[in-house]
Amino acid sequence: MTDALLAVASPVFTVAREVVGTLARDCVRLTIDEGVDGLRTLEARFVASGIGAAGPPGPMLHLDGSEFDFGTEIQVAVGGSGAQHEVFDGAVSAIEAVFGDSEPPAVVMLAEDPLMRLRMTRRMRTYTDVTDADVVRQLAQEHGLDADVAAEGPRHDVLQQINQSDLAFLRERARLLQTDLWCRDGTLHLSDRPSRTGARITLLHGGDLLTCRISADLAHQRTEVVVSGYNTRTEDVIDERAGAEAIQAEAQPGRTGPQVLEQAFGASAGMRVREVPETAAQASAWARAEMLRRSRRFVTVHGTTRGTPQLDVGSQVRLELVGPPFDGDGYYVTRVTHTYDNVRGLRTSFQAERATLNEAA
């Protein structure tokens, strides 16, 4: 049997465990987006006029609260028949009515995943004698979530949350450790990359991979990162360093950014000055994290596929037919945007990064 050249499958919307077919019928545009710092968002646009609802001055569809309302829990799956994958699970946070020039009226639904609760909670708080993992577990419990932490972080004598939302505060902790933050199935996750398990996907240019731009850039590479400070308790100077060895544990075989930089232009050290460490342990963790951040982004990819529902933040991607320096495994997905419209169907845009270039043949 010959496969269809084009198959367009509408998203499936589930509310209160019931599939709502009218939302799939009237959906003309859908965008679902998430990055490594968490908070998956959804924006769906529905035609608001049809049989029995002619629109203003008559009734409009999708505005009477029977299908969704503020706080409604909603799940969305995309993909062709037999290959659907859930790409969103969250709650409705905004509803819009849109009236364009010479266009039918539309209703727009916006929703966020459970991290919305953390985004909307702002605090002034001081934590004492805690690790970053302790903070994640405490905030998860306060918001009725389980916690799964695969990155402990250094111990802090004092840690202050100063006029920040709980989400912004956790994002700051994740940034300082270069860990991923996300929420799935009622569990708040903080994980380093080697501990995060994602789908392994092969994308072939000329096949599912429609477009891509791949860049190997030395602008922000460094051969060493230094974090300095002063320990007021011991009266010792803090001077911690991280070098190219920081990236080796998670890098694919090949030439890393620090190696290529040193070969091309010589050694170049970077200073981290945004935060002032109180202990050597803090400085060491932050120096390593900054070296990871820079080295991981040596090779970056921006791509679009025909629609890959299983592609998620944390997925490991293999690229093929994109050029000898860039072919192969090891691309870590850092942002995914699934889009659907009734013209092109499903598309998936993604950003990914890899720490190495392939060795020259």
Side-chain angles (χ1 to χ4, degrees):
M1 180 181 292
T2 302
D3 292 336
L5 294 177
L6 178 64
V8 177
S10 298
V12 176
F13 295 84
T14 302
V15 178
R17 299 185 180 180
E18 294 289 336
V19 174
V20 183
T22 53
L23 295 180
R25 179 197 67 192
D26 295 338
C27 181
V28 293
R29 190 176 307 150
L30 173 71
T31 301
I32 296 168
D33 179 74
E34 185 182 24
V36 291
D37 55 356
L39 190 62
R40 185 172 293 198
T41 61
L42 173 147
E43 180 176 334
R45 185 184 182 105
F46 307 98
V47 173
S49 61
I51 297 175
M60 292 175 61
L61 299 171
H62 313 303
L63 277 180
D64 62 0
S66 62
E67 298 163 318
F68 60 84
D69 204 343
F70 295 102
T72 297
E73 298 288 337
I74 186 165
Q75 294 81 40
V76 180
V78 298
S81 177
Q84 288 179 342
H85 187 82
E86 186 178 286
V87 292
F88 183 81
D89 184 359
V92 176
S93 57
I95 300 170
E96 301 177 353
V98 180
F99 305 93
D101 183 12
S102 302
E103 295 179 353
V107 169
V108 176
M109 173 180 67
L110 296 102
E112 301 173 70
D113 75 12
L115 288 180
M116 175 177 64
R117 287 178 261 168
L118 281 73
R119 178 183 63 78
M120 298 176 70
T121 304
R122 186 174 293 272
R123 304 179 195 262
M124 299 281 288
R125 176 186 278 181
T126 299
Y127 303 85
T128 58
D129 190 28
V130 293
T131 64
D132 296 283
D134 294 333
V135 173
V136 174
R137 296 186 184 101
Q138 179 175 336
L139 289 177
Q141 183 179 31
E142 291 175 357
H143 288 280
L145 301 170
D146 295 327
D148 181 12
V149 182
E152 194 68 22
R155 181 161 293 277
H156 308 276
D157 292 337
V158 176
L159 197 58
Q160 291 186 303
Q161 180 179 351
I162 303 176
N163 194 25
Q164 290 176 292
S165 71
D166 287 349
L167 179 59
F169 185 58
L170 288 184
R171 282 175 166 174
E172 180 182 12
R173 306 325 305 165
R175 176 183 64 82
L176 287 169
L177 298 177
Q178 281 303 292
T179 54
D180 291 1
L181 177 72
W182 75 100
C183 186
R184 292 288 186 280
D185 300 323
T187 299
L188 180 62
H189 299 266
L190 182 76
S191 175
D192 55 26
R193 290 194 180 178
S195 300
R196 184 171 187 176
T197 56
R200 294 186 176 274
I201 299 169
T202 297
L203 297 176
L204 175 71
H205 181 237
D208 285 339
L209 185 60
L210 296 176
T211 68
C212 69
R213 178 175 180 172
I214 310 175
S215 174
D217 191 349
L218 292 175
H220 300 289
Q221 296 300 301
R222 297 294 183 268
T223 54
E224 184 181 54
V225 169
V226 182
V227 176
S228 300
Y230 183 74
N231 190 319
T232 57
R233 285 190 175 183
T234 63
E235 299 184 348
D236 292 328
V237 173
I238 298 172
D239 184 75
E240 296 295 326
R241 299 164 184 265
E245 71 283 350
I247 195 61
Q248 292 299 332
E250 61 182 59
Q252 291 288 120
R255 298 176 292 160
T256 66
Q259 290 171 338
V260 174
L261 175 64
E262 188 161 18
Q263 291 168 1
F265 298 107
S268 176
M271 294 285 295
R272 183 164 190 160
V273 297
R274 287 182 61 182
E275 297 86 20
V276 179
E278 299 173 348
T279 66
Q282 284 181 343
S284 178
W286 295 349
R288 178 180 178 276
E290 177 65 5
M291 194 67 188
L292 286 175
R293 183 187 71 83
R294 292 175 178 272
S295 300
R296 285 169 173 169
R297 292 189 55 77
F298 176 38
V299 181
T300 57
V301 182
H302 293 71
T304 303
T305 78
R306 295 183 186 276
T308 312
Q310 68 272 31
L311 190 66
D312 202 355
V313 176
S315 294
Q316 296 279 346
V317 170
R318 175 181 176 84
L319 297 181
E320 295 185 354
L321 298 183
V322 294
F326 305 115
D327 277 336
D329 295 312
Y331 289 96
Y332 187 92
V333 177
T334 58
R335 179 165 292 277
V336 172
T337 304
H338 299 289
T339 59
Y340 166 85
D341 62 47
N342 55 3
V343 177
R344 296 191 307 167
L346 181 64
R347 291 289 187 268
T348 300
S349 299
F350 69 96
Q351 298 176 26
E353 54 193 37
R354 189 173 80 169
T356 56
L357 280 175
N358 296 333
E359 296 284 357

